[in-house]
Amino acid sequence: MRENIVILDFGSQYTNLITRRVREHQVYSGILPCDIPFSEIEKLNPKGIILSGGPSSVYEENAPTYSPLIFSGKYPVLGICYGMQLMAHLLGGKVVKGDKGEYGKALLKIESSSSLFDGIDKEFIAWMSHKDIVITPPENFKVTASTDNTPIASMEDTERQLYGVQFHPEVIHTINGDKIIRNFLYNICHCTGDWTSEYFIDESIENIRDTVGDGKVICALSGGVDSTTTAVLVHRAIGDKLTCIFVNQGTLRENEVAQVLDTLKNFNMRVEYVDATERFLDRLKGITDPEQKRKIIGYEFVRVFEEIAIRLGNIDFLAQGTLYPDVIESATSSKKAHKIKTHHNVGGLPEKMKLKLIEPLRNLFKDEVRKVALSLNILEKIVYRQPFPGPGLAIRIVGEVTKERLEIIRKADHIISAEIEKAGLDKKLWQYFGILLPEMSVGVMGDRRTFGYVVAVRAILSEDGMTADWARLPYSLLEVISNRIINEVPRVNRVVYDISSKPPATIEWE
């Protein structure tokens, strides 16, 4: 069984970052809801536990809490922000609302030696985000760091392996945050760092073989890195018992069918192409709500796969490239999580399915998938192909999906991609695409009044898709993109540029 660190989520905006920071040190970590029973944690036999921050106050009624069993000393525990306050509160310390809050950068001063701060400067900048403070630590705890506004910025009880920090080591603004997390993992939890691409591949192949047995699998294949990596993993596990299905739902990009089919020739796998354009577009007629679009597309995908399974005979499983961000955003991992949007391959699946799911990448972030793909010798042009949503251009049309609107956004999107690649920026950007807006705008073309569509251009920078910043594209490039779209795409007379980050916006508009 691989080493793992359990992260209990108390509602922090940074919980996903904690997971990523732990994994960057080759230690597997996963997020669990804060109300999970302690007995379930024991089954996982973690090397350590991290308590996330959160927006609540520990002394409030109905504030999220946890069983004091977690502090028994069985597992090392690191409490971050709210996690530290909860530790203090449950173990007899005192937490109160401070005279003033502490948000952003603060100078942290180390007061006494600690394994958590091993090899770190005595003073450094840490990122704070709190109003409450611990004014009295629990018995047997010593204070190890402070700031001008927070006398107890970190504390520890080494006998029970309990550590608390009021700041956020997981954010890049904390200068030594990466070292602090590494110290917790290796100095305190005594991890060895077995979470590697090779370990994941071997473990996945073994799990797939055990799950499938003598059964057969079809794999939803789009030509992107997620589905291709899934297919290669399953193929290595079960060989010819896998059949890959590439479904054209009518919302793919310009020339995408030909490109994907050509790429898939490089793999020695069975691949079937299905053109279901009319079927999907008929189901999408009159639908404007993005959640309905996603669910309809997810439902139809599964029904197409089930029909193919019947034709092929004795198919038991459906493999697909679901990733960790899909699960998180669809709020299927925690009762307390707020659903951002339904991903067609998670919450968009029908409740009753004849096929059982195989999702080997379900616990990986996108950059982790790319590392696995490279270890599997998948071509770089697939590994670094920019993410494309399962519902395709259907969710890049705000409002109803029609053949005319699809043709408009398909041509506009092709121009955006061509010009960004021509400028040599394609490998520097996480994603770049166009969105067709439902609003029409007045324009002038050839001295005549026009009333045309508006296309928004979206280009973002990201490491994993969980957070993102808008790309500062050169004005000259935006000018070329705008001129080409307006001149070459019928019925478009205005182009705008999206300068929203994630959060508060999402990467896609729907």
Side-chain angles (χ1 to χ4, degrees):
M1 185 175 183
R2 66 172 175 237
E3 297 177 330
N4 73 95
I5 297 291
V6 165
I7 298 170
L8 293 184
D9 182 15
F10 291 89
S12 171
Q13 60 180 315
Y14 302 134
T15 303
N16 300 318
L17 274 179
I18 302 172
T19 310
R20 288 197 48 73
R21 297 297 174 251
V22 171
R23 292 186 183 190
E24 285 167 3
H25 292 291
Q26 295 189 318
V27 178
Y28 180 76
S29 64
I31 301 170
L32 295 176
C34 63
D35 54 3
I36 190 170
F38 187 65
S39 58
E40 293 299 310
I41 291 178
E42 289 182 303
K43 290 177 183 177
L44 297 172
N45 191 29
K47 297 288 286 187
I49 299 169
I50 297 178
L51 312 181
S52 82
S56 304
S57 294
V58 294
Y59 47 77
E60 292 176 342
E61 189 177 356
N62 297 322
T65 187
Y66 201 75
S67 167
L69 288 172
I70 199 173
F71 305 122
S72 65
K74 185 172 184 177
Y75 309 109
V77 179
L78 173 62
I80 296 175
C81 197
Y82 181 89
M84 169 174 144
Q85 294 166 8
L86 183 64
M87 184 184 293
H89 181 68
L90 293 178
L91 293 176
K94 189 170 183 180
V95 180
V96 300
K97 182 174 289 187
D99 294 332
K100 52 185 177 180
E102 192 173 36
Y103 301 97
K105 295 177 181 178
L107 182 64
L108 191 93
K109 302 171 186 176
I110 297 178
E111 304 289 350
S112 61
S113 62
S114 168
S115 296
L116 205 59
F117 299 131
D118 187 39
I120 292 174
D121 296 335
K122 295 296 182 183
E123 294 185 356
F124 60 90
I125 296 298
W127 187 261
M128 294 286 190
S129 182
H130 68 102
K131 178 71 173 177
D132 294 341
I133 59 172
V134 178
I135 60 169
T136 305
E139 188 177 355
N140 297 324
F141 274 74
K142 75 172 180 177
V143 177
T144 53
S146 66
T147 70
D148 289 343
N149 293 329
T150 306
I152 305 176
S154 70
M155 63 180 195
E156 64 182 46
D157 176 352
T158 55
E159 187 175 333
R160 287 184 289 179
Q161 305 182 89
L162 304 179
Y163 299 81
V165 294
Q166 184 58 68
F167 56 94
H168 288 274
E170 69 273 25
V171 303
I172 59 172
H173 309 294
T174 295
I175 300 301
N176 291 294
D178 187 59
K179 292 180 180 177
I180 291 168
I181 291 174
R182 182 177 180 83
N183 283 340
F184 178 70
L185 298 175
Y186 287 92
N187 294 355
I188 296 167
C189 299
H190 305 295
C191 295
T192 60
D194 64 3
W195 178 242
T196 63
S197 295
E198 290 73 21
Y199 182 99
F200 173 82
I201 291 168
D202 291 342
E203 182 185 50
S204 297
I205 290 173
E206 183 179 345
N207 289 340
I208 292 167
R209 282 178 182 153
D210 290 344
T211 300
V212 174
D214 295 327
K216 293 182 179 179
V217 182
I218 57 173
C219 179
L221 194 58
S222 68
V225 64
D226 305 336
S227 63
T228 302
T229 302
T230 298
V232 172
L233 278 172
V234 175
H235 187 252
R236 283 201 180 185
I238 63 171
D240 288 342
K241 290 190 290 183
L242 167 71
T243 302
C244 297
I245 312 296
F246 175 38
V247 177
N248 178 7
Q249 78 277 41
T251 62
L252 299 176
R253 291 170 289 194
E254 189 97 346
N255 303 322
E256 190 151 24
V257 171
Q259 290 172 1
V260 170
L261 290 176
D262 184 61
T263 299
L264 294 177
K265 291 177 183 177
N266 294 295
F267 301 97
N268 188 27
M269 297 184 290
R270 295 176 180 173
V271 179
E272 285 206 18
Y273 169 65
V274 179
D275 188 348
T277 298
E278 295 300 326
R279 172 177 183 160
F280 277 82
L281 295 187
D282 283 346
R283 290 281 284 114
L284 290 168
K285 279 181 182 177
I287 304 299
T288 58
D289 178 75
E291 280 293 285
Q292 279 189 277
K293 288 185 195 177
R294 288 176 177 273
K295 288 182 177 180
I296 286 170
I297 290 170
Y299 180 92
E300 285 302 311
F301 262 123
V302 172
R303 295 306 173 227
V304 169
F305 295 140
E306 287 179 339
E307 291 166 14
I308 294 171
I310 292 172
R311 176 168 57 81
L312 293 175
N314 300 317
I315 301 295
D316 309 287
F317 299 92
L318 167 64
Q320 59 178 14
T322 304
L323 302 191
Y324 204 28
D326 301 338
V327 177
I328 294 168
E329 291 195 337
S330 295
T332 59
S333 61
S334 171
K335 298 175 188 175
K336 297 182 181 297
H338 183 81
K339 182 170 71 178
I340 298 168
K341 60 190 176 189
T342 297
H343 287 261
H344 83 286
N345 56 343
V346 185
L349 295 175
E351 291 183 11
K352 294 183 179 180
M353 287 176 51
K354 297 176 183 177
L355 299 171
K356 302 169 190 173
L357 284 178
I358 292 178
E359 299 172 312
L361 310 181
R362 187 179 177 88
N363 292 319
L364 297 189
F365 290 95
K366 177 71 79 172
D367 59 318
E368 293 174 322
V369 174
R370 287 185 169 133
K371 290 177 183 176
V372 170
L374 290 172
S375 295
L376 290 168
N377 297 317
I378 293 173
L379 296 175
E380 286 196 12
K381 68 177 181 178
I382 298 175
V383 174
Y384 295 108
R385 182 175 181 251
Q386 67 161 317
F388 187 61
L393 297 177
I395 58 167
R396 291 180 179 172
I397 296 172
V398 181
E400 185 182 7
V401 178
T402 65
K403 285 186 177 180
E404 180 198 34
R405 289 178 174 175
L406 277 168
E407 195 59 27
I408 290 171
I409 195 56
R410 190 175 280 127
K411 289 182 180 299
D413 187 78
H414 184 67
I415 290 169
I416 293 166
S417 295
E419 291 301 329
I420 285 178
E421 289 167 15
K422 184 179 177 181
L425 296 175
D426 49 313
K427 289 187 178 179
K428 296 179 181 179
L429 300 174
W430 173 264
Q431 242 173 315
Y432 43 92
F433 53 89
I435 307 101
L436 184 63
L437 306 188
E439 292 81 6
M440 308 287 280
S441 79
V442 174
V444 178
M445 290 181 174
D447 296 326
R448 292 187 178 183
R449 177 186 185 275
T450 62
F451 193 56
Y453 284 105
V454 180
V455 169
V457 177
R458 181 81 157 136
I460 59 103
L461 303 165
S462 181
E463 290 185 0
D464 51 34
M466 293 304 301
T467 60
D469 192 14
W470 62 279
R472 276 65 172 172
L473 295 184
Y475 289 157
S476 56
L477 175 58
L478 291 172
E479 181 181 26
V480 171
I481 290 172
S482 177
N483 286 341
R484 281 199 62 190
I485 291 174
I486 290 171
N487 284 307
E488 298 176 31
V489 183
R491 298 202 64 192
V492 175
N493 66 2
R494 192 178 300 270
V495 175
V496 298
Y497 188 52
D498 182 349
I499 59 171
S500 309
S501 62
K502 176 187 178 180
T506 54
I507 293 175
E508 301 288 348
W509 278 44
E510 288 200 336

